[in-house]
């Protein structure tokens, strides 16, 4: 796989762009790119030419995360204002507003069937699960403390939950915390299973392989990307190459590669067979907060796409084959 730059949009937002995801294609339209920014907006972009379709307002502080339902019809945005806004992708109408106490909304993900929205609970050291048919809170998964003495771990902020990911079969839910801990839950039984060790700095992004529900990738401020057997609690690979914090990771739809973004201002493509970086893109002039591969589907989708967003307010779009 090799990336090729297609287009970059400078000043895509009025402030840092922290979040990016794709709303999958529907029967009436191709996929759309969704970006969230500290300018308090979510913007929706045409898939191949990055033409702005509409701007979504409603938050009163910066947008920290965006997530799209697997059917592509609805999406959600979480904000530093402690609200999650759920909206119709095509009409922009608000479907639900989910409220959490200060600092209890961060990264979000819909489960593979779209029945549950998992929200990383930030300072609450938990994950909140919301039923997408009623928008009622159905469970809170609390992160237990790691066993063993950790004299420096006296502050609750160490367990601040930053990231969340669903396994492709929807049976497992993983979250990454400020202290480097990754916690794995049985999502069906609402039960904590175990921690994954290896990182000692914040884990800001997690993603499961689309084909193997055991394989989990993590991006950390320690500069490393880890590949875990999340069921066997084993670290099976460490990929290093970024010069600074690794802020985001996503896996290609065919499961053969991952992309990462870093505060070293680059996007890297990694070959999973080689477990090595095979390409570095330097389109951005500030730290890269989000990378997202476009999901397959849609009549006019001819090749793969990867998008990246940055503190430099820009969006970059790449193709790959």
């Amino acid at each position: 796989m090799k990336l090729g730059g297609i287009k970059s949009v400078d000043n895509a937002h009025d402030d840092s762009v922290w979040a990016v995801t794709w709303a999958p294609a529907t029967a009436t339209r191709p996929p759309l790119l969704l970006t969230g920014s500290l300018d308090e907006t979510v913007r929706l972009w045409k898939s191949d030419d990055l033409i702005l379709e509409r701007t979504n307002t409603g938050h009163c502080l910066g947008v920290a995360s965006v997530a799209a339902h697997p059917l592509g019809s609805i999406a959600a945005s979480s904000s530093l204002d402690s609200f999650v806004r759920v909206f119709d992708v095509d009409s922009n109408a608000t479907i639900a507003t989910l409220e959490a106490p200060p600092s209890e909304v961060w990264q979000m993900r819909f489960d593979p069937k779209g029945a549950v929205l998992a929200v990383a609970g930030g300072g609450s050291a938990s994950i909140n699960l919301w039923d997408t048919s009623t928008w009622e809170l159905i469970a809170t998964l609390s992160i237990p403390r790691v066993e063993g003495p950790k004299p420096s771990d006296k502050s609750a902020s160490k367990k601040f939950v930053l990231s969340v990911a669903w396994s492709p079969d929807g049976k497992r839910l993983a979250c990454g915390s400020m202290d480097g801990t990754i916690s794995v839950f049985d999502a069906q039984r609402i039960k904590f299973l175990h921690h994954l060790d290896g990182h000692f700095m914040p884990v800001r992004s997690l993603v499961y392989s689309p084909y193997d529900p055991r394989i989990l990738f993590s991006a950390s401020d320690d500069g490393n990307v880890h590949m875990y057997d999340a069921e066997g609690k084993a670290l099976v690979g460490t990929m290093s190459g970024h010069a600074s914090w690794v802020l985001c990771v996503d896996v290609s739809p065919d499961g053969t590669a991952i992309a990462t973004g870093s505060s070293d201002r680059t996007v890297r493509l990694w070959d999973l067979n080689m477990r090595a970086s095979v390409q570095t893109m330097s389109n951005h002039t500030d730290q890269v907060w989000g990378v997202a591969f476009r999901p397959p589907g849609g009549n006019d989708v001819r090749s793969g796409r990867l998008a990246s967003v940055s503190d430099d307010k820009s969006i970059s779009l790449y193709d790959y084959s």
Side-chain angles (χ1 to χ4, degrees):
M1 183 182 293
K2 185 176 182 181
L3 296 176
I6 298 177
K7 186 172 184 178
S8 291
V9 178
D10 295 329
N11 297 311
H13 281 268
D14 298 329
D15 206 333
S16 298
V17 191
W18 274 13
V20 62
T21 195
W22 295 89
T26 66
T28 58
R29 61 152 175 80
L32 291 174
L33 185 70
L34 278 61
T35 56
S37 167
L38 293 188
D39 68 8
E40 305 171 9
T41 70
V42 175
R43 293 189 174 177
L44 291 81
W45 307 82
K46 288 187 176 179
S47 187
D48 276 326
D49 45 20
L50 291 185
I51 294 174
L52 182 63
E53 285 268 290
R54 68 186 71 88
T55 298
N56 182 322
T57 60
H59 290 294
C60 62
L61 286 173
V63 175
S65 179
V66 288
H69 190 280
L71 295 180
S73 54
I74 65 173
S77 55
S78 69
S79 166
L80 303 178
D81 64 12
S82 299
F83 287 92
V84 173
R85 179 173 177 259
V86 184
F87 59 94
D88 183 286
V89 170
D90 295 309
S91 71
N92 204 28
T94 299
I95 295 170
T97 301
L98 314 178
E99 183 177 2
S103 80
E104 291 192 16
V105 290
W106 206 248
Q107 195 180 82
M108 309 170 297
R109 292 288 183 267
F110 286 92
D111 80 317
K113 293 182 179 179
V116 178
L117 176 66
V119 182
S124 69
S126 64
I127 306 170
N128 288 325
L129 303 182
W130 300 84
D131 185 320
T132 61
S133 61
T134 63
W135 297 110
E136 296 292 327
L137 182 65
I138 54 174
T140 297
L141 303 175
S142 296
I143 316 282
R145 293 177 66 86
V146 179
E147 294 180 1
K150 294 185 78 175
S152 62
D153 192 8
K154 296 179 180 178
S155 169
S157 66
K158 295 279 188 179
K159 273 285 176 273
F160 193 101
V161 183
L162 294 164
S163 52
V164 64
W166 290 93
S167 63
D169 58 11
K171 294 180 178 179
R172 298 288 184 262
L173 191 60
C175 68
S177 299
M178 190 74 78
D179 66 353
T181 304
I182 297 171
S183 305
V184 180
F185 294 85
D186 182 321
Q188 296 174 322
R189 294 189 293 161
I190 314 297
K191 179 185 177 182
F192 170 76
L193 296 176
H194 50 255
H195 294 296
L196 300 175
D197 299 324
H199 291 300
F200 298 96
M201 295 180 72
V203 177
R204 299 184 188 272
S205 185
L206 294 168
V207 64
Y208 275 90
S209 165
Y211 291 110
D212 188 341
R214 298 177 66 100
I215 299 299
L216 177 71
F217 303 97
S218 60
S220 171
D221 285 11
D222 61 20
N224 297 317
V225 180
H226 282 176
M227 180 177 175
Y228 290 96
D229 175 347
E231 293 295 298
K233 298 188 286 185
L235 176 62
V236 296
T238 297
M239 289 169 274
S240 304
H242 280 294
S244 188
W245 301 353
V246 188
L247 302 174
C248 51
V249 60
D250 197 21
V251 62
S252 63
D254 64 5
T256 65
I258 59 172
T260 55
S262 167
S263 56
D264 68 8
R265 306 178 182 182
T266 69
V267 172
R268 281 181 178 257
L269 182 71
W270 308 77
D271 183 294
L272 293 179
N273 289 324
M274 299 167 56
R275 295 185 189 172
S277 174
V278 293
Q279 196 173 2
T280 302
M281 307 298 284
S282 302
N283 295 39
H284 293 292
T285 60
D286 209 334
Q287 47 193 13
V288 180
W289 279 105
V291 289
F293 283 98
R294 186 173 67 185
N299 294 329
D300 66 341
V301 175
R302 294 178 296 278
S303 60
R305 295 287 184 267
L306 173 73
S308 60
V309 297
S310 167
D311 268 340
D312 66 10
K313 309 178 189 177
S314 76
I315 305 169
S316 284
L317 187 67
Y318 319 86
D319 66 1
Y320 65 86
S321 57

